[in-house]
Amino acid sequence: MENLEYLPYRMFAYLPLNSQSKAIEKKGYLLRRICRDGSILYSDVFTWPEMGDPSVEEVMQDLCKAYQPTSKQMSQGATERVEIALSNLRTITPELDSQKVRSHYLYNWGESSFNSALVDSTIQSQQAQILENPAATVKFKLFQNWHAQLQTLHKVAELLGPAGRLRLDFNSCLDENAFFEFEKKTRNLHQKIDFIEDPTPYNHDAWVRMNQVLPLALDFEIRNYSEFHSEVCHSPFDWVIFKPAAQRFSDVEVFAAQKKKMVVTSYLGHPISQQIAKLRHVELIKMYNHSIHPVGGWIHQHLYQKVIEGSKWLNVEHFLKS
């Protein structure tokens, strides 16, 4: 087994990054494998325990154990993430042929309680970037207190030209009644909306009703959906979010067979992970051209104020000793 090294890092966001997390600071670990031919591969261990993931420490501990074959004490969830992290090891190449793919613009404006002069300037900067490309696709993160975000949502929609698109993500913070209230308040935007992502915790009957008025996208709720889908004939959503940093390739095969539209996105980890997600997007669109949407979502570094990395790379075997 070739040498594998890790580098810890911390990132500090301007705002909480979704409706399930209040954390500004996030931790992760870059992985680096130096191959015998001299090539260098990178991957990223980054998780969202708030959304049901194992912690990054659990994943790293199991990664160390994977390099010690005599050890059998590996947790199932973290072990799966180890396999995914290793499968994502890629050479970062700036010459990547990416003409067939592009990224939506991730717009994150939290609840008014998080507002500040720094946040105001960040919002203005994000809006300026949208204005530079009125045909862009914008993914807008929404919170439980979405009423306070409506004015900004409408402003972003106005910045977009006729070809501009919206993708709206609630991270499961609504119930069905709140969804239909939101739907009524935004009917003038319906023609611009690609999908509503994870509006509520997954419930088959509720999602059927919601999907009849606005197209839904399945993301983190795939965990609850997967426990249920074998018993139903119809999946009540049109879109699926595929995150190579967190999901197995088999998910793509399943949803491609169901003719779902799939969006390849990053996991909001280290800046290097943006390029890895872009690489995976290019690979997948070549394999599943009719299922993988050309507009993915792998640009997210503008959400962070700063990234602090460790001082040196260490062999993964040293992790358990630290």
Side-chain angles (χ1 to χ4, degrees):
M1 193 176 288
E2 292 175 311
N3 187 46
L4 187 69
E5 299 172 320
Y6 72 92
L7 184 73
Y9 67 84
R10 294 182 295 151
M11 300 191 300
F12 297 84
Y14 289 101
L15 294 162
L17 295 175
N18 60 60
S19 63
Q20 302 299 325
S21 174
K22 300 300 183 185
I24 296 295
E25 179 182 352
K26 292 290 293 181
K27 296 190 296 183
Y29 294 88
L30 278 182
L31 301 180
R32 181 175 73 176
R33 175 176 285 165
I34 301 176
C35 302
R36 294 184 180 89
D37 62 4
S39 60
I40 302 177
L41 309 179
Y42 293 93
S43 187
D44 187 23
V45 174
F46 185 81
T47 68
W48 288 95
E50 308 95 319
M51 311 293 284
D53 285 345
S55 70
V56 288
E57 287 77 15
E58 288 178 282
V59 178
M60 287 299 297
Q61 287 170 4
D62 274 10
L63 182 62
C64 295
K65 293 173 184 176
Y67 274 69
Q68 298 174 353
T70 56
S71 177
K72 303 295 183 182
Q73 299 175 356
M74 299 175 70
S75 58
Q76 182 177 354
T79 301
E80 179 177 338
R81 295 301 287 271
V82 167
E83 295 171 358
I84 291 169
L86 295 178
S87 71
N88 277 320
L89 283 162
R90 292 291 186 280
T91 300
I92 305 303
T93 95
E95 296 81 18
L96 173 67
D97 177 14
S98 57
Q99 294 181 352
K100 293 185 178 181
V101 301
R102 59 190 188 277
S103 177
H104 60 221
Y105 186 81
L106 184 55
Y107 187 97
N108 185 60
W109 182 75
E111 297 172 279
S112 57
S113 58
F114 301 120
N115 223 351
S116 67
L118 177 62
V119 171
D120 287 342
S121 65
T122 304
I123 291 170
Q124 291 171 10
S125 173
Q126 291 184 12
Q127 291 178 356
Q129 291 188 51
I130 294 168
L131 192 56
E132 289 175 5
N133 183 12
T137 297
V138 175
K139 181 172 178 177
F140 198 104
K141 286 280 191 177
L142 288 152
F143 290 69
Q144 193 168 22
N145 184 26
W146 55 266
H147 301 83
Q149 297 178 269
L150 273 183
Q151 183 177 354
T152 305
L153 174 59
H154 280 88
K155 183 171 184 178
V156 168
E158 290 172 6
L159 294 175
L160 294 171
R165 305 296 299 165
L166 289 170
R167 295 171 172 177
L168 309 180
D169 185 6
F170 280 99
N171 287 112
S172 309
C173 70
L174 300 181
D175 58 26
E176 186 179 359
N177 290 334
F179 170 87
F180 280 106
E181 181 185 359
F182 176 82
E183 180 269 330
K184 290 176 183 177
K185 296 281 187 181
T186 56
R187 285 185 178 169
N188 61 320
L189 302 180
H190 282 198
Q191 293 304 311
K192 281 188 173 295
I193 295 174
D194 274 349
F195 54 73
I196 308 291
E197 184 177 331
D198 281 356
T200 70
Y202 184 78
N203 175 282
H204 180 75
D205 293 340
W207 277 47
V208 167
R209 291 187 290 269
M210 293 185 289
N211 197 53
Q212 290 171 349
V213 296
L214 280 171
L216 302 187
L218 183 75
D219 184 17
F220 280 99
E221 286 302 321
I222 191 170
R223 296 183 176 99
N224 294 323
Y225 166 76
S226 297
E227 296 176 2
F228 186 82
H229 80 280
S230 61
E231 302 175 16
V232 299
C233 299
H234 171 68
S235 302
F237 46 85
D238 300 326
W239 297 72
V240 174
I241 310 302
F242 179 68
K243 293 181 166 70
Q247 291 171 256
R248 294 179 181 274
F249 180 75
S250 57
D251 286 344
V252 176
E253 297 176 319
V254 168
F255 290 116
Q258 295 181 21
K259 302 189 183 304
K260 301 296 183 184
K261 290 173 279 191
M262 282 179 280
V263 177
V264 179
T265 76
S266 70
Y267 214 43
L268 306 188
H270 189 277
I272 282 179
S273 70
Q274 298 175 120
Q275 188 72 355
I276 295 171
K278 184 178 180 180
L279 285 162
R280 299 302 309 274
H281 191 182
V282 172
E283 294 168 2
L284 288 166
I285 206 166
K286 289 178 180 177
M287 299 172 64
Y288 296 97
N289 185 46
H290 298 294
S291 296
I292 303 295
H293 198 278
V295 181
W298 22 261
I299 296 176
H300 62 252
Q301 192 52 40
H302 59 284
L303 303 180
Y304 292 100
Q305 300 180 53
K306 59 183 177 180
V307 179
I308 299 176
E309 296 180 346
S311 58
K312 63 179 181 179
W313 291 86
L314 299 170
N315 190 288
V316 293
E317 294 177 356
H318 291 287
F319 186 83
L320 291 177
K321 301 174 185 177
S322 61

